Amino acid sequence: MLDAPAHPGRTRTDTARPLVQVRDLKMYFPIYSGVLRRRSGDVKAVDGVSFDILSGETLGLVGESGCGKSTVGRALLRLYDPTAGSVTIDGEDIATLSPGALRRKRPTMQMVFQDPQASLNPRMPLSDLIGEPLIEHTDWNAERRLARIYELMDAVGLNRRFANRFPYEFSGGQRQRIGIARALALNPKFIVCDEPIAALDVSIQAQVVNLLEDLQDRFGLTYLFISHDLSMVRHIADRVAVMYLGRIAELSPRDALYSRPLHPYAEALLSAVPEPDPNVAATRTRIILKGDVPSPANPPKGCNFNTRCPRAFDRCRVEKPDLVEVEPGRLVACHLYSPDTRHAGSTGSPEAAIQARPEHFQQGAPK
Amino acid sequence: MPDGGQSVLDVRDLVTVFRTRGGEVHAVNSVSFHLQNGELLGVVGESGSGKSVTMMSLIGLLPSPPADVRGGEVWLGGRDILKISADALRDLRGAKVGFVFQDPMTSLNPVFTVGAQIMEPLIRHMGLSKAQARVRAAELLELVGISDAKNRLSAYPHQFSGGMRQRVMIAIALACDPDVLIADEPTTALDVTIQAQILELVKDLRAKLGMAIIWITHDLGVIAGIADRVMVMYAGQVVEQAPVKELFANPQHPYTRALLKTIPAISGPRQDRLQVIEGQPPILAARPSACSFRARCPHAFDRCHAENPVRRAVDANPVGRGHDVACHWSAGHFDA
């Protein structure tokens, strides 16, 4: 499979079949307090998130630190046991699989971690690091494994001569390539990239992002790309979900979101990104949000953004908005876009809204 | 703000070397720059380019050993501060030069209240009594946009969010009304919406107080928004220096050009593929004898391998006062 052409064009989403379906995913972390360590509350890191990722596309997941984006990525691969909700990857519900079945499922879904320094065992040489998943999940002999290790090193642009070196001998960018090679070892379909470039220098970031795009084209991978770097997400993602305090504020095709964000938070977030051009920077109007993100242990009543929203009105302080389609392919959780008539008395979950019109997600495919 | 203003800080040929077990690392190689009254100088470079080490060595913040400031002059207030005693330097730090560090989580002392930490330089440098310092500390907190300042003085750092802690750091740095404020990646650890708040605050404070600022960052977007003049560093050297608009419109050094092209834009047309700078930045074990960027440079020719380029003026102004570049290659028109 490694001899596939490097650039068969950007036809990622020719099959608009969802590979990953997330429905009302909740991930609460308990807080224990007092002498008896009684459970006194929950940190609602992810509080009812639903989305689809189509086969072959890249879904960008953006938000500020603490909004729950990494938790979503980890819960998707069941590195955490979700509190509620379902995660269907390629037809199987990850959230309820038995440990044995989950282990057999692991090769199809992999993760690239943020910190390549911390995620590689410093005592293992490169060939062992990349070969470890093969030992765990295949019964191949050493020779066959080594052939595959070399193949993977070629694919991510690591020199074969490096096979016996240890992680400390590599730079940050090269370490991230090792992390990517490990994730690719078992031919996964779906990879969660959790801030894969956040720890790298700008000149190295572009190298890694280009590599991820090349690999996607060659092997038909599906990515969930978690990042706080909005301009990089604009480059790599096909659709983008903006998270705030454990919920999705807006999920839109990339170009639509960046040219005309609908949710007030998405708008403020995009306007806060500094533009590397002094002439544009001087003329651009910025929306400066007041204050900080509230604690996810005690989210505000109503819309979770109402404490900082410049356009909040009475209804926002009492009723949580659902994530609904307001334009073809664009889902927004905001009362500004839901006419009262359409939503009178509705207290349904986002799941209900989505299941009422399942075609929402199908329309999200760009191009 | 070229010309006109007077230099508050003048650094000439600063050289800093780290002695490690594996040999010497030449982190700062003949860096010269000046800072004018009320000016904001942006310093851009990747990690390891020597931007933080330059600023820390000029006010003696690096532990020695391993660091060794081997040469150069740093003129501040009519004195070469590399030659003054440790005590005199201590009087200077916090009083004449304020420093804001990258990580507000680790640069505040967790066991002292925020108020005590703001009052410390006021008592030490300005000779204020505790009561006076407390009043002034509350004013400073208000200045940096923290409401209910009087009561917040008795709070501990852990009770503050990241953005608020960075505001406290700025308040401490500004406490004694310094001539120069050095901000080392002050917004890198913050979220974009909080970064926008801090940038707004700094613009506001500059208008009110008019101190000169050195702003170290790797984010060209931040620089574009706030700097008057930009200095690009690579491998411990200044490779290009220009007023901000000139630098972004007419970059001369191949590294600056590549850096500007490698960042994806948040608006405008989207590239199908990102431009990359191949390879890694070098680690210098000796004084550079050839161009440090040559291995990654698309325009490198024979001379680049033989001779380290010196800074030359691109426009009519002398080096350091207008637009200058350290490169043998003559760049043409830049097409972003």
Side-chain angles (χ1 to χ4, degrees), chain B residues 258-294:
Chain B
L259 213 51
L260 283 171
K261 280 191 179 169
T262 184
I263 321 168
I266 193 85
S267 59
R270 182 181 155 279
Q271 296 162 283
D272 204 31
R273 199 170 163 76
L274 289 177
Q275 292 237 353
V276 300
I277 310 176
E278 294 296 345
Q280 308 283 332
I283 294 167
L284 296 172
R287 248 186 117 78
S289 57
C291 177
S292 318
F293 190 60
R294 66 186 187 280

Side-chain angles (χ1 to χ4, degrees), chain B residues 59-211:
Chain B
I59 53 167
L61 280 180
L62 291 173
S64 177
D68 178 12
V69 180
R70 236 175 236 178
E73 296 166 14
V74 178
W75 290 92
L76 178 78
R79 286 190 295 175
D80 181 357
I81 60 172
L82 287 184
K83 304 221 162 48
I84 61 179
S85 68
D87 278 341
L89 199 58
R90 207 169 297 135
D91 286 338
L92 215 79
R93 280 194 295 247
K96 294 279 177 210
V97 184
F99 217 110
V100 179
F101 296 94
Q102 172 172 357
D103 189 353
M105 315 295 157
T106 52
S107 42
L108 287 170
N109 191 329
V111 302
F112 288 104
T113 62
V114 164
Q117 297 184 58
I118 304 177
M119 283 154 66
E120 188 187 347
L122 292 167
I123 297 168
R124 166 73 173 75
H125 293 296
M126 310 268 277
L128 297 186
S129 72
K130 253 192 152 171
Q132 289 170 318
R134 204 171 170 80
V135 174
R136 176 86 181 118
E139 285 172 15
L140 283 162
L141 271 192
E142 247 161 55
L143 183 72
V144 296
I146 294 180
S147 55
D148 193 19
K150 264 201 188 106
N151 295 320
R152 294 294 182 97
L153 284 178
S154 44
Y156 287 87
H158 74 89
Q159 292 168 295
F160 280 17
S161 66
M164 277 165 77
R165 275 183 250 189
Q166 200 56 291
R167 285 169 193 262
V168 172
M169 282 302 295
I170 293 172
I172 295 173
L174 292 178
C176 301
D177 202 6
D179 298 334
V180 179
L181 180 71
I182 301 175
D184 187 358
E185 307 240 9
T187 59
T188 305
L190 306 175
D191 282 313
V192 277
T193 60
I194 309 297
Q195 169 172 287
Q197 291 177 0
I198 298 286
L199 292 179
E200 223 36 45
L201 169 70
V202 169
K203 279 184 194 166
D204 196 36
L205 290 175
R206 276 185 75 197
K208 275 185 200 159
L209 308 173
M211 70 280 189

